[in-house]
Short mmCIF file of all heavy atoms in Angstrom, two decimals:
data_model
loop_
_atom_site.label_atom_id
_atom_site.label_comp_id
_atom_site.label_asym_id
_atom_site.label_seq_id
_atom_site.Cartn_x
_atom_site.Cartn_y
_atom_site.Cartn_z
N PHE A 230 -27.79 4.67 6.87
CA PHE A 230 -26.78 5.59 6.27
C PHE A 230 -25.83 6.04 7.40
O PHE A 230 -26.20 6.07 8.60
CB PHE A 230 -27.50 6.78 5.66
CG PHE A 230 -28.45 6.45 4.53
CD1 PHE A 230 -29.62 7.16 4.33
CD2 PHE A 230 -28.16 5.39 3.66
CE1 PHE A 230 -30.51 6.85 3.30
CE2 PHE A 230 -29.04 5.07 2.60
CZ PHE A 230 -30.21 5.81 2.42
N TRP A 233 -26.84 8.17 10.47
CA TRP A 233 -27.86 7.61 11.35
C TRP A 233 -27.45 6.28 11.93
O TRP A 233 -28.06 5.75 12.85
CB TRP A 233 -29.19 7.49 10.56
CG TRP A 233 -30.36 6.99 11.32
CD1 TRP A 233 -31.07 5.85 11.10
CD2 TRP A 233 -31.02 7.60 12.45
NE1 TRP A 233 -32.09 5.70 12.00
CE2 TRP A 233 -32.07 6.80 12.83
CE3 TRP A 233 -30.77 8.81 13.16
CZ2 TRP A 233 -32.90 7.09 13.91
CZ3 TRP A 233 -31.61 9.12 14.23
CH2 TRP A 233 -32.67 8.28 14.59
N ILE A 281 -10.25 14.19 -0.58
CA ILE A 281 -11.38 13.91 0.29
C ILE A 281 -12.08 15.28 0.52
O ILE A 281 -11.52 16.34 0.25
CB ILE A 281 -10.97 13.33 1.67
CG1 ILE A 281 -10.06 14.28 2.44
CG2 ILE A 281 -10.30 11.98 1.48
CD1 ILE A 281 -9.74 13.82 3.87
N ARG A 283 -14.07 18.21 2.84
CA ARG A 283 -13.87 18.79 4.15
C ARG A 283 -14.68 18.07 5.22
O ARG A 283 -14.22 17.82 6.33
CB ARG A 283 -14.25 20.28 4.12
CG ARG A 283 -13.65 20.98 5.31
CD ARG A 283 -14.43 22.20 5.70
NE ARG A 283 -14.62 23.16 4.64
CZ ARG A 283 -15.15 24.36 4.87
NH1 ARG A 283 -15.42 24.71 6.08
NH2 ARG A 283 -15.35 25.16 3.88
N ARG A 288 -14.08 13.63 10.05
CA ARG A 288 -14.44 12.31 10.62
C ARG A 288 -13.20 11.58 11.12
O ARG A 288 -12.07 11.91 10.80
CB ARG A 288 -15.15 11.48 9.58
CG ARG A 288 -16.58 11.91 9.40
CD ARG A 288 -17.14 11.46 8.10
NE ARG A 288 -18.31 12.28 7.81
CZ ARG A 288 -19.56 11.96 8.14
NH1 ARG A 288 -19.77 10.81 8.75
NH2 ARG A 288 -20.54 12.74 7.89
N ASP A 331 -17.72 4.71 -13.86
CA ASP A 331 -18.83 3.78 -14.12
C ASP A 331 -18.31 2.34 -14.08
O ASP A 331 -18.97 1.46 -13.46
CB ASP A 331 -19.40 4.12 -15.54
CG ASP A 331 -20.58 3.23 -15.88
OD1 ASP A 331 -21.47 3.10 -15.03
OD2 ASP A 331 -20.62 2.71 -17.02
N ASP A 334 -17.60 1.49 -10.51
CA ASP A 334 -18.88 1.28 -9.83
C ASP A 334 -19.46 -0.13 -10.11
O ASP A 334 -19.97 -0.80 -9.26
CB ASP A 334 -19.85 2.38 -10.26
CG ASP A 334 -21.25 2.25 -9.62
OD1 ASP A 334 -21.33 2.06 -8.41
OD2 ASP A 334 -22.25 2.36 -10.37
N ASP A 346 -33.82 1.72 -5.61
CA ASP A 346 -35.26 1.62 -5.73
C ASP A 346 -35.59 1.85 -7.21
O ASP A 346 -35.06 2.78 -7.83
CB ASP A 346 -35.90 2.75 -4.88
CG ASP A 346 -37.41 2.74 -4.99
OD1 ASP A 346 -37.93 3.42 -5.90
OD2 ASP A 346 -38.05 2.09 -4.16
N GLU A 348 -37.98 3.14 -8.75
CA GLU A 348 -38.55 4.44 -9.09
C GLU A 348 -37.57 5.58 -8.74
O GLU A 348 -37.46 6.56 -9.50
CB GLU A 348 -39.87 4.63 -8.36
CG GLU A 348 -40.73 5.72 -9.04
CD GLU A 348 -41.90 6.15 -8.18
OE1 GLU A 348 -42.28 5.41 -7.25
OE2 GLU A 348 -42.37 7.28 -8.40
N THR A 353 -29.95 7.74 -1.44
CA THR A 353 -28.87 8.49 -0.78
C THR A 353 -29.36 9.14 0.49
O THR A 353 -30.57 9.36 0.67
CB THR A 353 -28.35 9.59 -1.71
OG1 THR A 353 -29.48 10.32 -2.22
CG2 THR A 353 -27.59 8.99 -2.91
N THR A 354 -28.45 9.51 1.36
CA THR A 354 -28.78 10.15 2.63
C THR A 354 -29.60 11.42 2.37
O THR A 354 -30.63 11.63 2.99
CB THR A 354 -27.52 10.54 3.40
OG1 THR A 354 -26.79 9.34 3.68
CG2 THR A 354 -27.84 11.26 4.65
N PRO A 356 -31.82 13.72 -0.20
CA PRO A 356 -32.63 13.52 -1.43
C PRO A 356 -32.10 14.33 -2.63
O PRO A 356 -32.48 14.06 -3.75
CB PRO A 356 -34.01 14.01 -1.02
CG PRO A 356 -33.84 14.84 0.19
CD PRO A 356 -32.62 14.32 0.89
N VAL A 394 -23.37 27.28 -10.13
CA VAL A 394 -22.06 27.91 -10.28
C VAL A 394 -21.59 28.34 -8.90
O VAL A 394 -22.34 28.95 -8.14
CB VAL A 394 -22.11 29.17 -11.18
CG1 VAL A 394 -20.73 29.71 -11.36
CG2 VAL A 394 -22.80 28.87 -12.49
N GLY A 396 -18.34 30.21 -6.79
CA GLY A 396 -17.05 30.92 -6.83
C GLY A 396 -16.74 31.34 -5.42
O GLY A 396 -17.58 31.22 -4.54
N PHE A 398 -16.12 34.48 -3.58
CA PHE A 398 -16.17 35.91 -3.84
C PHE A 398 -15.63 36.70 -2.67
O PHE A 398 -15.92 36.44 -1.53
CB PHE A 398 -17.59 36.33 -4.15
CG PHE A 398 -18.12 35.75 -5.42
CD1 PHE A 398 -18.68 34.50 -5.42
CD2 PHE A 398 -18.05 36.45 -6.61
CE1 PHE A 398 -19.16 33.92 -6.58
CE2 PHE A 398 -18.53 35.89 -7.77
CZ PHE A 398 -19.11 34.64 -7.77
N GLN A 410 -16.66 27.00 -10.31
CA GLN A 410 -17.04 25.59 -10.55
C GLN A 410 -18.47 25.54 -11.10
O GLN A 410 -19.36 26.21 -10.57
CB GLN A 410 -16.97 24.79 -9.23
CG GLN A 410 -17.24 23.32 -9.44
CD GLN A 410 -17.97 22.72 -8.26
OE1 GLN A 410 -19.02 23.19 -7.83
NE2 GLN A 410 -17.44 21.64 -7.72
N GLN A 414 -27.21 20.16 -10.83
CA GLN A 414 -27.93 20.10 -9.56
C GLN A 414 -28.89 18.94 -9.53
O GLN A 414 -29.03 18.28 -8.50
CB GLN A 414 -28.71 21.41 -9.38
CG GLN A 414 -27.89 22.57 -9.05
CD GLN A 414 -28.75 23.67 -8.56
OE1 GLN A 414 -29.15 23.77 -7.45
NE2 GLN A 414 -29.07 24.59 -9.51
N SER A 415 -29.57 18.71 -10.65
CA SER A 415 -30.55 17.65 -10.69
C SER A 415 -29.86 16.31 -10.91
O SER A 415 -28.99 16.19 -11.76
CB SER A 415 -31.53 17.95 -11.80
OG SER A 415 -32.32 16.78 -12.09
N SER A 473 -2.87 34.16 1.17
CA SER A 473 -3.19 33.28 0.05
C SER A 473 -4.15 33.97 -0.92
O SER A 473 -4.05 33.75 -2.13
CB SER A 473 -3.73 31.92 0.52
OG SER A 473 -4.70 32.08 1.49
N HIS B 301 -15.84 35.39 2.62
CA HIS B 301 -17.07 35.40 1.82
C HIS B 301 -17.13 34.07 1.07
O HIS B 301 -16.20 33.72 0.33
CB HIS B 301 -17.13 36.52 0.83
CG HIS B 301 -17.04 37.84 1.47
ND1 HIS B 301 -18.07 38.76 1.49
CD2 HIS B 301 -16.02 38.44 2.17
CE1 HIS B 301 -17.66 39.85 2.10
NE2 HIS B 301 -16.43 39.66 2.54
N THR B 303 -19.69 32.42 -1.66
CA THR B 303 -20.93 32.68 -2.41
C THR B 303 -21.17 31.55 -3.41
O THR B 303 -20.23 31.05 -4.03
CB THR B 303 -20.78 33.99 -3.17
OG1 THR B 303 -20.40 34.99 -2.27
CG2 THR B 303 -22.09 34.37 -3.84
N LEU B 305 -23.99 30.39 -6.63
CA LEU B 305 -25.13 30.75 -7.43
C LEU B 305 -25.89 29.45 -7.68
O LEU B 305 -25.40 28.59 -8.37
CB LEU B 305 -24.61 31.34 -8.72
CG LEU B 305 -25.60 32.19 -9.49
CD1 LEU B 305 -25.69 33.57 -8.85
CD2 LEU B 305 -25.15 32.36 -10.93
N VAL B 306 -27.09 29.33 -7.09
CA VAL B 306 -27.83 28.11 -7.24
C VAL B 306 -29.16 28.42 -7.85
O VAL B 306 -29.94 29.23 -7.33
CB VAL B 306 -28.01 27.43 -5.87
CG1 VAL B 306 -28.91 26.20 -6.04
CG2 VAL B 306 -26.68 27.03 -5.26
N THR B 329 -9.29 30.67 2.71
CA THR B 329 -9.07 30.60 1.26
C THR B 329 -8.63 29.20 0.86
O THR B 329 -9.01 28.71 -0.18
CB THR B 329 -8.04 31.64 0.82
OG1 THR B 329 -6.91 31.55 1.67
CG2 THR B 329 -8.62 33.02 0.86
N ASP B 335 -13.21 23.42 -1.50
CA ASP B 335 -14.66 23.30 -1.60
C ASP B 335 -15.15 23.53 -3.02
O ASP B 335 -16.10 22.97 -3.47
CB ASP B 335 -15.36 24.30 -0.68
CG ASP B 335 -15.30 23.83 0.76
OD1 ASP B 335 -15.02 22.65 0.99
OD2 ASP B 335 -15.54 24.66 1.67
N LEU B 336 -14.44 24.43 -3.65
CA LEU B 336 -14.85 24.79 -4.98
C LEU B 336 -14.86 23.59 -5.91
O LEU B 336 -15.77 23.44 -6.74
CB LEU B 336 -13.88 25.87 -5.53
CG LEU B 336 -14.30 26.60 -6.79
CD1 LEU B 336 -15.60 27.30 -6.55
CD2 LEU B 336 -13.24 27.59 -7.20
N LEU B 338 -14.62 20.32 -4.75
CA LEU B 338 -15.25 19.16 -4.12
C LEU B 338 -16.72 19.40 -3.84
O LEU B 338 -17.44 18.46 -3.57
CB LEU B 338 -14.53 18.78 -2.82
CG LEU B 338 -13.17 18.18 -3.04
CD1 LEU B 338 -12.44 18.06 -1.70
CD2 LEU B 338 -13.31 16.81 -3.66
N ALA B 347 -21.86 17.66 8.20
CA ALA B 347 -22.70 16.47 8.28
C ALA B 347 -22.25 15.54 9.41
O ALA B 347 -21.56 14.59 9.19
CB ALA B 347 -22.64 15.71 6.95
N ARG B 352 -29.29 10.94 18.77
CA ARG B 352 -30.34 10.03 19.21
C ARG B 352 -30.81 10.46 20.56
O ARG B 352 -30.11 11.23 21.20
CB ARG B 352 -29.75 8.59 19.28
CG ARG B 352 -29.50 8.00 17.92
CD ARG B 352 -28.71 6.73 18.04
NE ARG B 352 -28.45 6.14 16.74
CZ ARG B 352 -29.29 5.36 16.05
NH1 ARG B 352 -30.46 5.04 16.61
NH2 ARG B 352 -28.99 4.87 14.90
N PHE B 376 -32.32 11.19 5.19
CA PHE B 376 -32.94 9.94 5.49
C PHE B 376 -32.05 9.02 6.36
O PHE B 376 -30.81 9.22 6.40
CB PHE B 376 -33.35 9.21 4.24
CG PHE B 376 -34.50 9.91 3.51
CD1 PHE B 376 -34.24 11.04 2.75
CD2 PHE B 376 -35.79 9.49 3.66
CE1 PHE B 376 -35.25 11.70 2.10
CE2 PHE B 376 -36.84 10.12 3.02
CZ PHE B 376 -36.57 11.26 2.23
N GLY B 377 -32.70 8.05 7.06
CA GLY B 377 -31.93 7.19 7.95
C GLY B 377 -31.37 5.97 7.24
O GLY B 377 -30.28 5.51 7.55
N TYR B 382 -37.12 5.51 2.50
CA TYR B 382 -37.73 6.05 1.27
C TYR B 382 -39.07 5.34 0.98
O TYR B 382 -40.00 5.95 0.45
CB TYR B 382 -36.79 5.92 0.08
CG TYR B 382 -35.74 6.97 0.05
CD1 TYR B 382 -34.46 6.76 0.53
CD2 TYR B 382 -36.01 8.24 -0.43
CE1 TYR B 382 -33.49 7.76 0.51
CE2 TYR B 382 -35.09 9.24 -0.47
CZ TYR B 382 -33.81 9.00 -0.01
OH TYR B 382 -32.87 9.99 -0.02
N ARG B 386 -42.71 7.40 1.54
CA ARG B 386 -42.80 7.63 0.08
C ARG B 386 -43.59 8.89 -0.28
O ARG B 386 -43.19 9.65 -1.16
CB ARG B 386 -43.41 6.41 -0.65
CG ARG B 386 -43.01 6.35 -2.11
CD ARG B 386 -43.28 4.99 -2.71
NE ARG B 386 -42.18 4.05 -2.53
CZ ARG B 386 -41.15 3.90 -3.40
NH1 ARG B 386 -41.09 4.60 -4.48
NH2 ARG B 386 -40.22 3.04 -3.14
N HIS B 397 -35.51 18.22 -8.64
CA HIS B 397 -34.86 17.53 -9.76
C HIS B 397 -35.65 17.74 -11.05
O HIS B 397 -36.80 18.23 -11.02
CB HIS B 397 -34.79 16.02 -9.45
CG HIS B 397 -33.91 15.69 -8.30
ND1 HIS B 397 -32.57 15.82 -8.33
CD2 HIS B 397 -34.23 15.24 -7.04
CE1 HIS B 397 -32.08 15.42 -7.15
NE2 HIS B 397 -33.05 15.10 -6.34
N LYS B 398 -35.05 17.31 -12.15
CA LYS B 398 -35.71 17.46 -13.47
C LYS B 398 -36.93 16.57 -13.56
O LYS B 398 -37.85 16.83 -14.35
CB LYS B 398 -34.74 17.13 -14.59
CG LYS B 398 -33.57 18.08 -14.70
CD LYS B 398 -33.84 19.15 -15.75
CE LYS B 398 -32.67 20.16 -15.70
NZ LYS B 398 -32.86 21.29 -16.57
N HIS B 402 -36.52 7.69 -11.72
CA HIS B 402 -35.19 7.39 -12.18
C HIS B 402 -35.15 6.86 -13.59
O HIS B 402 -35.88 5.93 -13.92
CB HIS B 402 -34.55 6.35 -11.22
CG HIS B 402 -33.14 5.97 -11.52
ND1 HIS B 402 -32.15 6.90 -11.64
CD2 HIS B 402 -32.57 4.77 -11.77
CE1 HIS B 402 -30.99 6.27 -11.92
NE2 HIS B 402 -31.26 4.99 -11.99
N LYS B 405 -28.80 4.68 -14.68
CA LYS B 405 -28.17 3.38 -14.51
C LYS B 405 -28.91 2.51 -13.49
O LYS B 405 -29.44 2.98 -12.50
CB LYS B 405 -26.74 3.63 -14.03
CG LYS B 405 -25.89 2.41 -13.85
CD LYS B 405 -24.47 2.83 -13.47
CE LYS B 405 -23.63 1.59 -13.29
NZ LYS B 405 -22.22 1.93 -12.95
N LYS B 417 -34.36 -13.01 -3.72
CA LYS B 417 -34.65 -12.83 -2.28
C LYS B 417 -36.16 -12.98 -2.02
O LYS B 417 -36.54 -13.61 -1.05
CB LYS B 417 -34.17 -11.46 -1.82
CG LYS B 417 -32.71 -11.50 -1.51
CD LYS B 417 -32.29 -10.45 -0.52
CE LYS B 417 -30.86 -10.70 -0.05
NZ LYS B 417 -30.13 -9.46 0.20
#
Side-chain angles (χ1 to χ4, degrees):
Chain A
F230 299 145
W233 183 242
I281 61 173
R283 198 206 304 190
R288 284 160 199 267
D331 182 47
D334 178 48
D346 178 272
E348 201 193 339
T353 50
T354 299
V394 185
F398 295 83
Q410 185 215 53
Q414 286 193 82
S415 167
S473 47
Chain B
H301 302 247
T303 308
L305 201 77
V306 176
T329 48
D335 283 344
L336 193 58
L338 288 171
R352 288 169 180 276
F376 291 79
Y382 280 98
R386 203 165 275 268
H397 296 290
K398 294 264 175 186
H402 182 55
K405 184 176 180 179
K417 279 205 170 147

